[in-house]
Amino acid sequence: MTEKLLLTGKTHNKGGRDGYARSSDVMLDLKLKQPHPAAENLFGAAWSACYIGAIELAAAQRNIKLPAGPEVDAEIDLNVDDGSYFLRARFNVSLPNIDRDLAHEIIHAAHEICPYSKATRGNIDVETNLV
């Protein structure tokens, strides 16, 4: 298999009272007065956007046309235990007008496809709910 670079996201972040996050293409340009909860919100937005693409791919691989765009509400928890910080994630997924068993199959397959899910596997507890 030959590796092919598809995209490189580039951002610049500045901390402090005048903090910000800005992408090189300026699609992202946010003022960040505090690193948290911005970091968890940005991570949730990025991961769930990737996961939606993986849901669409998982459905296409099964020759299933999604009647409506998938929606994901991502919740990223920042936790501390004995001075050690860690994350937990919950995805509440909506796949309207799809049989529930098939929808469960699709959303679980999407976690095998999504690069964010692969990168965090075994490092972050993830709960996926079909709503």
Side-chain angles (χ1 to χ4, degrees):
M1 193 155 75
T2 303
E3 180 179 311
K4 179 181 177 184
L5 176 65
L6 299 176
L7 175 72
T8 300
K10 295 179 183 180
T11 59
H12 179 78
N13 293 279
K14 179 184 176 200
R17 192 174 64 194
D18 296 323
Y20 61 86
R22 188 173 299 129
S23 63
S24 61
D25 61 6
V26 196
M27 284 183 62
L28 177 70
D29 189 2
L30 303 170
K31 292 182 187 213
L32 302 175
K33 293 183 181 181
Q34 298 177 352
H36 298 285
E40 289 73 28
N41 289 337
L42 290 168
F43 184 59
W47 190 356
S48 61
C50 180
Y51 185 57
I52 283 175
I55 288 170
E56 292 169 336
L57 180 57
Q61 288 173 338
R62 289 160 177 73
N63 294 317
I64 298 166
K65 182 166 174 37
L66 298 174
E71 295 183 19
V72 176
D73 290 316
E75 299 173 9
I76 307 298
D77 300 328
L78 173 64
N79 303 280
V80 64
D81 184 15
D82 233 1
S84 179
Y85 295 91
F86 63 97
L87 299 174
R88 281 199 182 107
R90 279 176 308 288
F91 289 144
N92 297 307
V93 182
S94 175
L95 290 176
N97 303 315
I98 297 288
D99 172 78
R100 286 194 69 79
D101 289 337
L102 185 55
H104 277 288
E105 180 184 326
I106 291 169
I107 64 175
H108 292 302
H111 272 299
E112 298 301 315
I113 295 169
C114 175
Y116 280 77
S117 296
K118 289 179 182 181
T120 58
R121 190 167 292 124
N123 297 309
I124 296 177
D125 290 333
V126 180
E127 178 184 321
T128 306
N129 303 301
L130 182 62
V131 294

